Amino acid sequence: MIKALFFDIDGTLVSFNTHKIPQSTIDAVSEARRKGIKVYIATGRPRPYVDNLGEMEYDGIMCVNGASCTTREGEVIVSKNIPKEDVARMVEYVNKYKLPIAIADDDMSFAVNIDDSFREVYALLDLDIPENRPAEDALKMDVKQFVAFFPEELDYEIKGKVLTHCNVFRWHPAFADCIINNTSKATGIDAVCRYYGFTAGDAMAFGDGGNDIEMLRHVGIGVAMGNAKDEVKACADYVTTSVDDDGIVNALRHFGVIN
């Protein structure tokens, strides 16, 4: 029996075409919650960027790929910051190479070296461009995430020399989500499930991007959206239709979670 549902946001709950959650999804999630099933958002977005859930009902949010998990009422389940020494090295790297980057904690986000690639990604996600500020402001924060715009061939250098205590996640070729090591949507799911007294095997998760792969493999039932990349679909237990074609509803009905 499924006891919890975990949903990625972009490309899963929210359409890249409409920038909204389909009404069919909102209704289906409400039905699941009426049956006592916990509903959690599971996103790579930091908390300041979770602004597009509309009328959807949920019990809590897992942000920054599992580094920040809270109940809807604000009780903290997980809170992991990037170590200060990594932050200092990243500030130096950003200034030296003029790296476009967004820096976020649980309360705010700002940007450094905004370029066209940065603007294109924020437009794709229907996000406002953050305030441009000096990279040194990150030294005053409990940084949860760097959204850094660098090519994939630099992943090894960034992880090996700059963010030595961090993971680098990609779901888009233009940028990487950088968070503290040993943290992912899978570890976040484990923490949330422990909080409620069940296991990841009792959960179903939905995703479409590379940062969802570990989560889909980890839960009892991992569902890839029809619009997901092939490597994500290959890791899922079930591939549903796209976000714009009632994908969440169809999967929940397929597995008997809703009528």
Side-chain angles (χ1 to χ4, degrees), residues 18-255:
T18 67
H19 301 299
K20 295 180 180 179
I21 302 176
Q23 187 61 46
S24 64
T25 297
I26 292 173
D27 294 342
V29 169
S30 294
E31 181 179 342
R33 290 188 78 239
R34 286 195 298 270
K35 293 184 175 183
I37 297 171
K38 297 295 182 184
V39 171
Y40 259 74
I41 307 304
T43 181
R45 292 186 180 217
R47 190 168 305 279
Y49 292 174
V50 182
D51 60 356
N52 56 350
L53 298 180
E55 298 177 357
M56 175 156 160
E57 300 175 7
Y58 55 90
D59 295 284
I61 300 180
M62 177 203 308
C63 291
V64 201
N65 292 316
S68 179
C69 305
T70 64
T71 66
R72 180 113 191 214
E73 295 73 31
E75 184 170 351
V76 176
I77 299 174
V78 176
S79 182
K80 298 180 180 180
N81 303 323
I82 294 176
K84 295 292 187 182
E85 58 265 37
D86 282 30
V87 174
R89 284 192 296 269
M90 193 61 164
V91 167
E92 181 179 356
Y93 192 92
V94 165
N95 286 334
K96 182 177 180 179
Y97 295 104
K98 305 302 179 186
L99 186 74
I101 193 169
I103 302 168
D105 61 14
D106 279 331
D107 300 314
M108 59 87 66
S109 174
F110 70 93
V112 185
N113 301 322
I114 296 169
D115 66 358
D116 289 343
S117 181
F118 191 110
R119 293 186 184 92
E120 288 171 7
V121 168
Y122 272 63
L124 173 68
L125 300 177
D126 195 34
L127 289 171
D128 294 332
I129 300 291
E131 179 185 3
N132 194 69
R133 290 167 51 177
E136 286 79 8
D137 283 4
L139 301 173
K140 309 169 190 175
M141 301 165 58
D142 291 325
V143 176
K144 286 287 194 300
Q145 180 188 51
F146 292 116
V147 180
F149 288 74
F150 58 87
E152 192 169 357
E153 54 264 29
L154 288 180
D155 283 4
Y156 181 79
E157 177 176 305
I158 295 291
K159 184 169 173 55
K161 298 180 180 179
V162 184
L163 299 177
T164 59
H165 301 90
C166 291
N167 280 329
V168 174
F169 293 99
R170 284 185 183 271
W171 61 267
H172 189 284
F175 71 92
D177 291 331
C178 308
I179 65 173
I180 190 169
N181 269 340
N182 302 314
T183 304
S184 68
K185 291 187 180 184
T187 65
I189 285 174
D190 282 340
V192 170
C193 287
R194 282 195 302 271
Y195 178 86
Y196 289 106
F198 42 81
T199 70
D202 300 316
M204 177 185 292
F206 292 75
D208 72 302
N211 62 337
D212 297 318
I213 287 175
E214 191 170 350
M215 170 176 76
L216 298 185
R217 286 172 169 166
H218 191 62
V219 294
I221 300 173
V223 179
M225 305 302 292
N227 48 279
K229 297 179 179 179
D230 288 342
E231 59 265 32
V232 180
K233 293 177 180 178
C235 298
D237 300 296
Y238 182 73
V239 178
T240 187
T241 50
S242 75
V243 59
D244 294 303
D245 191 24
D246 297 329
I248 289 175
V249 177
N250 291 334
L252 291 176
R253 285 178 176 159
H254 175 81
F255 288 102

